[in-house]
Amino acid sequence: MGISEPWRDIVKLRERLRRYAELRRAVRELEGLDDRTLHDIGVARSHIRGAVEGR
C-alpha cells in the first residue's frame, strides 16, 4: 500500500518549499557579491535570478 493522496500532496509541497528556499539562498548569496566578482563569474547583477533558475 502506497502513500495516500493527501500525504503525497504534502510531500510534494514540502519539496517545492525546500527547493524555493534553496533558490532564494543562492540568489541572496549572489546578490551579496560585488559587481566585479559577478563579472568574473559571468553573471550580470540584473540576471542573477535567471542564472539561479537556469534560464
Side-chain angles (χ1 to χ4, degrees), residues 13-27:
L13 176 61
R14 191 177 93 184
E15 178 58 27
R16 288 181 65 188
L17 290 172
R18 185 198 63 76
R19 178 71 177 143
Y20 175 77
E22 182 179 291
L23 293 174
R24 287 298 308 145
R25 188 170 28 258
V27 167

Side-chain angles (χ1 to χ4, degrees), residues 10-48:
I10 291 170
V11 169
K12 286 180 185 178
L13 176 61
R14 191 177 93 184
E15 178 58 27
R16 288 181 65 188
L17 290 172
R18 185 198 63 76
R19 178 71 177 143
Y20 175 77
E22 182 179 291
L23 293 174
R24 287 298 308 145
R25 188 170 28 258
V27 167
R28 277 194 311 271
E29 287 180 24
L30 288 173
E31 286 175 342
L33 298 176
D34 60 76
D35 289 336
R36 183 181 181 112
T37 303
L38 287 172
H39 180 269
D40 288 347
I41 62 174
V43 178
R45 186 163 300 281
S46 60
H47 296 142
I48 289 174

